[in-house]
């Protein structure tokens, strides 16, 4: 993205740029030959993520809201939740009850980027009633002081939360609430305090918590990516800055940090190099930081298509079902360089748009004559981060019925291409590929090679969860790493109660709690030490349980099912 094109309108926009609907948010990589540093970008209200990325804010009136204007990698992608007897099967309960190990996650922080947390819930309090939360950044609350050098939201310290808990009206002091409940559930599964009356145990009940309550994505991004209006949607730039807050706060507290990511998206090349995945990878270069991600719940949703042509000029017809009225949706096409493909369209009534040759920075809108439907097609022959061919397709008020996309190969190498519809929750469930492929359905950011990625299985019967996303990555990296329980997992809910949850979010929460226990074990060695992120991952792999009738690693189970106590058994055996 060339920042020489940027300018600020003469009329002032009063609202804070990160939260103002009048500003566009852009993910900018500033380690470039131009030598442009964050200091030189002051006029764009920069917020530094790390040594590679900065978030810029420009007035929407300047037009940097589309992939054509700003580039695909620069536009924040949209994320949503990954949820739709487990402690015993994963070896966590055995580890917690082992008196010599004496592990609870003490001294370790677990960080969450989610819908917030019910900080008044007993699951997040010590026996004396004080909070186990060491820091809370509420991005939605603009009344207080933001953390670090950031310019939006309000940070609440452990002291302020304890003051609120001692008050007869806690929300008058710390007004943060989790209205959706997802963040409360995930944090509770990972490290909630025990409640024997509800038969509830968090995986790491002695750990501390860091929480980022994400603000909802801006409307211009929701409109551009055509998300469902009622869906909870979070934007990539806020997650990236949330990671920075977690890492910097943990460093200031001089404690190791496990980051739990229970959100995902299908937007991106699925090769592990999205901006958020790059930030998560680089965060683990800091000693004592570990990232656990959820593979997703996309295998059975019909949102992925894998195509194969035999030679140059060969054609594949991809059929797309639209079984309900919708304002629109997006579809992404990805193919490895140097292959090139043209894309054409046929509507349910037979109106045809001939395949459009791929061209650099091409963008065009097509209006159908006989139907109230429009299609916009954007090509990037060399997408910035992956180097792949990308086609971003936007269907606006598409007619109900069977759409056909004609994919024509123009430059042949291996003839493979992939297409993804939005993740479940961001698109009408009646929109799917007619002949979907359940593989390569891992969601971003779980594809980064450095992070620990878990699929989901049912601990009650040992079967893979039907919708558990499958590997590998588009470029063949072995993912997921292992499988964790995620069906009917007991969790806290706002206002003090308990319920159960199923899905990839629960699996990633259990893995995060187990990671905190293992990190604590490292700190309790005769010579205390932080494991490297790679060490932690491989310790988990050594403890996994594998079935005799399967070959490992595989697309569904990775290297096997998580068994925390199995790690110690393997070390004793060796």
């Amino acid at each position: 993205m060339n920042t020489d094109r940027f300018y600020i309108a003469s009329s002032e926009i009063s609202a804070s740029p990160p939260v103002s609907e009048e500003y566009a948010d852009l993910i900018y990589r500033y380690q470039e030959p131009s030598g442009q540093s964050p200091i030189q970008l002051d006029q764009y209200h920069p917020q530094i993520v790390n040594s590679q990325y900065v978030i810029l804010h420009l007035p929407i009136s300047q037009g940097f809201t589309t992939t054509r204007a700003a580039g695909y990698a620069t536009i924040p992608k949209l994320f949503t939740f990954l949820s739709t007897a487990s402690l015993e099967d994963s070896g966590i309960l055995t580890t917690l009850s082992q008196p010599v190990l004496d592990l609870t996650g003490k001294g370790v922080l677990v960080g969450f980027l989610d819908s917030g947390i019910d900080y008044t819930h007993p699951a997040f309090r010590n026996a004396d009633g004080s909070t186990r939360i060491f820091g809370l950044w509420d991005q939605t609350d603009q009344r207080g002081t933001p953390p670090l050098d950031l310019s939006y939201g309000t940070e609440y310290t452990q002291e302020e939360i304890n003051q609120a808990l001692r008050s007869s009206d806690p929300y008058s002091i710390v007004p943060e609430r989790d209205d959706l409940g997802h963040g409360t559930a995930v944090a509770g599964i990972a490290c909630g305090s025990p409640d024997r009356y509800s038969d509830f145990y968090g995986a790491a009940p002695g750990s501390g918590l860091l929480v980022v309550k994400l603000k909802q994505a801006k409307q211009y991004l929701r409109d551009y990516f055509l998300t469902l209006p009622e869906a909870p949607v979070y934007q990539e730039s806020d997650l990236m800055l949330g990671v920075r807050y977690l890492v910097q706060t943990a460093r200031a507290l001089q404690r190791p940090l496990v980051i739990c990511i229970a959100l995902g998206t299908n937007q991106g090349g699925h090769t592990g190099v999205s901006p958020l995945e790059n930030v998560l990878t680089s965060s683990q270069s800091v000693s004592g930081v570990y990232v656990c991600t959820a593979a997703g719940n996309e295998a059975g949703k019909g949102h992925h298509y894998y195509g194969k042509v035999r030679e140059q000029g060969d054609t594949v017809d991809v059929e797309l079902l639209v079984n309900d009225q919708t304002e629109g949706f997006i579809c992404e096409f990805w193919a490895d360089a140097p292959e090139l493909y043209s894309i054409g369209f046929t509507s349910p009534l037979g109106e045809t748009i001939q395949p459009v040759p791929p061209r650099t920075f091409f963008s065009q809108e097509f209006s159908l004559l006989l139907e109230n439907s429009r299609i916009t097609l954007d090509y990037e022959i060399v997408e910035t981060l992956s180097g792949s061919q990308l086609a971003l397709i936007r269907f606006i008020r598409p007619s109900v019925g069977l759409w056909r996309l004609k994919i024509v190969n123009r430059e042949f190498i291996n003839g493979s291409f992939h297409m993804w519809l939005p993740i479940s929750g961001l698109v009408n469930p009646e929109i799917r590929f007619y002949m979907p492929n359940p593989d390569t359905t891992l969601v971003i950011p779980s594809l980064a090679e450095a992070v620990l990625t878990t699929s989901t299985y049912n601990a009650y019967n040992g079967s893979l969860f039907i919708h558990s996303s499958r590997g590998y990555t588009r470029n063949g990296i072995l993912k997921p790493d292992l499988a964790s329980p995620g069906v009917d997992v007991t969790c806290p809910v706002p206002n003090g109660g308990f319920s159960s949850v199923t899905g990839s979010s629960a699996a990633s929460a259990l893995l995060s709690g187990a990671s905190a226990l293992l990190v604590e074990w490292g700190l309790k060695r005769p010579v205390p030490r932080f494991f490297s992120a790679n060490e932690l991952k491989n310790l988990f792999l050594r403890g996994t349980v594998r079935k005799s009738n399967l070959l490992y690693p595989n697309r569904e189970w990775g290297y096997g099912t998580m068994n925390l106590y199995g790690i110690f058994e393997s070390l004793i055996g060796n």
Side-chain angles (χ1 to χ4, degrees), residues 303-309 316 318 334 414-420 433 435-440 474:
H303 293 161
H304 170 244
Y305 182 90
Y306 172 71
K308 185 80 172 175
V309 299
V316 174
V318 180
W334 292 85
N414 61 24
S416 298
F417 65 87
H418 294 260
M419 302 176 73
W420 283 275
F433 290 110
M435 299 275 296
N437 183 287
D439 296 330
T440 325
R474 184 168 65 86

Side-chain angles (χ1 to χ4, degrees), residues 50-337:
N50 58 15
S51 60
Q52 186 178 19
Y53 286 100
V54 62
I55 309 301
L56 306 181
H57 309 280
L58 287 82
I60 283 179
S61 60
Q62 304 309 306
F64 291 94
T65 58
T66 66
T67 55
R68 172 69 187 276
Y72 178 84
T74 304
I75 305 293
K77 309 311 178 296
L78 301 183
F79 291 70
T80 194
F81 303 142
L82 298 177
S83 284
T84 56
S86 306
L87 290 176
E88 293 182 14
D89 206 64
S90 58
I92 294 174
L93 200 58
T94 307
T95 303
L96 288 173
S97 61
Q98 219 288 338
V100 176
L101 291 174
D102 188 27
L103 300 178
T104 64
K106 185 178 180 180
V108 182
L109 296 171
V110 184
F112 303 92
L113 307 160
D114 219 292
S115 62
I117 192 169
D118 178 5
Y119 70 88
T120 67
H121 199 293
F124 310 115
R125 301 169 73 167
N126 295 305
D128 63 1
S130 62
T131 187
R132 293 171 49 212
I133 301 172
F134 281 73
L136 193 165
W137 178 26
D138 186 346
Q139 295 181 352
T140 70
D141 182 359
Q142 310 310 320
R143 291 168 291 185
T145 303
L148 308 174
D149 55 355
L150 301 171
S151 59
Y152 69 110
T154 300
E155 181 184 25
Y156 295 101
T157 64
Q158 186 178 38
E159 292 74 17
E160 289 171 316
I161 297 172
N162 278 327
Q163 181 186 354
L165 292 174
R166 290 191 296 267
S167 169
S168 60
D169 184 12
Y171 296 110
S172 66
I173 300 172
V174 177
E176 195 277 339
R177 297 176 185 265
D178 181 10
D179 296 325
L180 299 175
H182 188 269
T184 297
V186 170
I189 293 169
C191 48
S193 301
D195 187 309
R196 291 175 176 82
Y197 295 105
S198 300
D199 195 25
F200 169 76
Y201 292 82
S207 62
L209 290 82
L210 293 177
V211 178
V212 177
K213 178 177 181 178
L214 298 165
K215 69 176 180 64
Q216 291 285 317
K218 292 185 177 180
Q219 191 61 45
Y220 84 93
L221 286 171
R222 299 178 69 118
D223 292 343
Y224 183 65
F225 290 120
L226 300 164
T227 63
L228 292 174
E230 69 275 11
V233 184
Y234 307 99
Q235 63 187 64
E236 187 174 17
S237 52
D238 289 328
L239 271 77
M240 294 167 68
L241 291 169
V243 172
R244 180 187 181 225
Y245 169 76
L246 296 176
V247 173
Q248 295 287 78
T249 305
R251 292 186 73 180
L253 294 169
Q254 298 184 323
R255 294 198 178 200
L257 169 69
V258 177
I259 299 176
C260 175
I261 305 287
L263 304 172
T265 185
N266 273 344
Q267 293 180 272
H270 290 72
T271 56
V273 295
S274 69
L276 177 59
E277 287 169 322
N278 286 339
V279 167
L280 291 173
T281 297
S282 64
S283 73
Q284 293 190 127
S285 64
V286 178
S287 179
V289 177
Y290 316 91
V291 180
C292 298
T293 62
N297 311 311
E298 290 292 293
K301 301 302 179 66
H303 293 161
H304 170 244
Y305 182 90
Y306 172 71
K308 185 80 172 175
V309 299
R310 295 165 295 184
E311 59 187 1
Q312 185 169 332
D314 203 358
T315 298
V316 174
D317 286 330
V318 180
E319 294 179 320
L320 186 59
L321 288 170
V322 179
N323 285 338
D324 197 3
Q325 294 288 345
T326 179
E327 285 300 305
F329 61 94
I330 65 167
C331 179
E332 293 188 3
F333 172 98
W334 292 85
D336 287 335

Side-chain angles (χ1 to χ4, degrees), residues 26-30 38 41 46-49 52-56:
L26 302 176
I27 300 170
Y28 181 63
R29 298 183 73 184
Y30 58 88
L41 298 169
Q47 295 188 102
I48 297 172
V49 178
Q52 186 178 19
Y53 286 100
V54 62
I55 309 301
L56 306 181

Side-chain angles (χ1 to χ4, degrees), residues 246-504:
L246 296 176
V247 173
Q248 295 287 78
T249 305
R251 292 186 73 180
L253 294 169
Q254 298 184 323
R255 294 198 178 200
L257 169 69
V258 177
I259 299 176
C260 175
I261 305 287
L263 304 172
T265 185
N266 273 344
Q267 293 180 272
H270 290 72
T271 56
V273 295
S274 69
L276 177 59
E277 287 169 322
N278 286 339
V279 167
L280 291 173
T281 297
S282 64
S283 73
Q284 293 190 127
S285 64
V286 178
S287 179
V289 177
Y290 316 91
V291 180
C292 298
T293 62
N297 311 311
E298 290 292 293
K301 301 302 179 66
H303 293 161
H304 170 244
Y305 182 90
Y306 172 71
K308 185 80 172 175
V309 299
R310 295 165 295 184
E311 59 187 1
Q312 185 169 332
D314 203 358
T315 298
V316 174
D317 286 330
V318 180
E319 294 179 320
L320 186 59
L321 288 170
V322 179
N323 285 338
D324 197 3
Q325 294 288 345
T326 179
E327 285 300 305
F329 61 94
I330 65 167
C331 179
E332 293 188 3
F333 172 98
W334 292 85
D336 287 335
E339 293 205 300
L340 285 175
Y341 293 84
S342 299
I343 303 176
F345 308 89
T346 300
S347 74
L349 293 183
E351 198 165 344
T352 298
I353 299 168
Q354 294 300 325
V356 180
R359 298 192 291 273
T360 303
F361 303 121
F362 172 88
S363 180
Q364 187 171 344
E365 181 172 294
F366 304 91
S367 297
L368 302 185
L369 296 176
L370 303 178
E371 302 167 65
N372 188 29
S373 301
R374 290 181 290 132
I375 299 171
T376 64
L377 175 62
D378 289 72
Y379 282 134
E380 286 191 18
I381 292 180
V382 181
E383 192 271 329
T384 303
L385 295 177
S386 66
S388 303
Q389 181 192 353
L390 162 67
L392 176 63
I393 306 163
R394 300 171 70 243
F395 291 87
I396 303 167
R397 290 189 294 276
S399 300
V400 173
L402 186 67
W403 288 78
R404 289 183 172 86
L405 284 68
K406 185 177 288 294
I407 313 298
V408 183
N409 180 272
R410 300 298 186 189
E411 186 72 34
F412 180 85
I413 298 295
N414 61 24
S416 298
F417 65 87
H418 294 260
M419 302 176 73
W420 283 275
L421 294 168
I423 190 175
S424 301
L426 297 188
V427 67
N428 189 312
E430 297 301 317
I431 297 170
R432 63 194 306 274
F433 290 110
Y434 184 69
M435 299 275 296
N437 183 287
D439 296 330
T440 325
T441 47
L442 298 167
V443 300
I444 294 162
S446 71
L447 299 105
E449 189 171 8
V451 306
L452 187 55
T453 301
T454 180
S455 59
T456 308
Y457 80 99
N458 187 332
Y460 299 104
N461 60 21
S463 66
L464 190 73
F465 175 49
I466 187 172
H467 295 305
S468 181
S469 291
R470 305 177 186 179
Y472 301 119
T473 68
R474 184 168 65 86
N475 54 336
I477 295 174
L478 296 173
K479 288 284 181 175
D481 298 300
L482 44 70
S484 303
V487 176
D488 291 333
V489 180
T490 303
C491 65
V493 295
N495 301 318
F498 293 88
S499 184
S500 63
V501 66
T502 291
S504 190

Side-chain angles (χ1 to χ4, degrees), residues 549-564:
N549 61 333
L550 294 178
L551 295 176
Y552 294 91
N554 63 58
R555 295 177 181 272
E556 294 86 11
W557 299 89
Y559 284 88
T561 58
M562 176 178 68
N563 185 343
L564 180 63

